[in-house]
Amino acid sequence: MTTISMYTASVPGFIQGLQNLAHVLRKGEAHAQAHEYAPEALLQARLAPDMLPLVRQVQIATDMVKNGAARLAGIEPPAFADDETDFAQLYARLDRAIAFLRSLSPEQVDGSEARDIQLKFGPRTLEFKGQDYLVGFVYPNFYFHASIAYAVLRKSGVRLGKLDYMGADIER
């Protein structure tokens, strides 16, 4: 039986997910322009009143994968200010996250299955081993926020399909 490495299980999929997120955002921006309203209005759109707006969904999705990969590699994650106010700034954020992920080598991430990872949330500390952190925390959080970003755009009238989210029709 062949095993999958921690690098292979994380970094390439994170890059693909961020590329797909950029793709759906481009379609959202084009939709707003075609319907003659300010694209930035979409950035504050929400799926439900008690949920975060589109811009925060993208910020959290990028933070989840760049921070997750950095922690698996045992290095300090790059800090990104959450100050984006337009689509160009969101694309730049996605590009910075992708560039960071591409800078990681398999040797940095592989073997992190048992690495101790601690996350502080106020007075609370969550403790994980690397594989559990990847599978039980990073994956679900990343895909949740990426899916919500997609759903916000759909709710806003943007014509998107499953292949847009999955990336099957995106040139790489």
Side-chain angles (χ1 to χ4, degrees):
M1 172 183 254
T2 304
T3 60
I4 187 168
S5 74
M6 288 291 283
Y7 178 90
T8 301
S10 59
V11 174
F14 294 163
I15 291 170
Q16 179 182 355
L18 292 178
Q19 289 172 330
N20 298 349
L21 185 52
H23 170 75
V24 299
L25 289 171
R26 282 191 296 275
K27 286 189 88 168
E29 183 180 29
H31 172 85
Q33 291 167 342
H35 289 83
E36 300 180 352
Y37 67 90
E40 290 71 34
L42 281 176
L43 299 182
Q44 296 308 313
R46 298 168 188 260
L47 191 57
D50 64 343
M51 294 181 80
L52 296 170
L54 176 64
V55 66
R56 280 297 293 142
Q57 301 297 337
V58 175
Q59 290 166 343
I60 294 169
T62 56
D63 284 346
M64 192 55 56
V65 295
K66 75 172 174 64
N67 295 350
R71 289 180 183 118
L72 291 173
I75 62 174
E76 189 67 27
F80 287 8
D82 294 332
D83 58 2
E84 292 83 13
T85 58
D86 61 29
F87 277 88
Q89 292 171 343
L90 277 183
Y91 301 140
R93 181 188 184 100
L94 289 160
D95 288 344
R96 284 192 318 273
I98 290 168
F100 170 72
L101 292 167
R102 286 189 172 141
S103 77
L104 297 173
S105 69
E107 294 78 22
Q108 288 175 283
V109 179
D110 286 344
S112 63
E113 295 87 346
R115 176 170 280 136
D116 289 325
I117 296 177
Q118 292 185 344
L119 300 177
K120 299 214 183 275
F121 290 99
R124 192 168 168 214
T125 300
L126 301 178
E127 296 185 10
F128 300 93
K129 294 295 183 187
Q131 184 171 322
D132 294 333
Y133 171 66
L134 175 62
V135 174
F137 187 82
V138 178
Y139 282 167
N141 276 284
F142 174 61
Y143 291 114
F144 173 82
H145 292 286
S147 296
I148 295 302
Y150 171 94
V152 167
L153 292 169
R154 282 284 303 191
K155 181 182 178 200
S156 298
V158 179
R159 289 185 51 101
L160 295 169
K162 182 178 178 181
L163 293 180
D164 292 303
Y165 178 82
M166 300 295 293
D169 62 344
I170 300 172
E171 283 188 24
R172 300 219 192 270

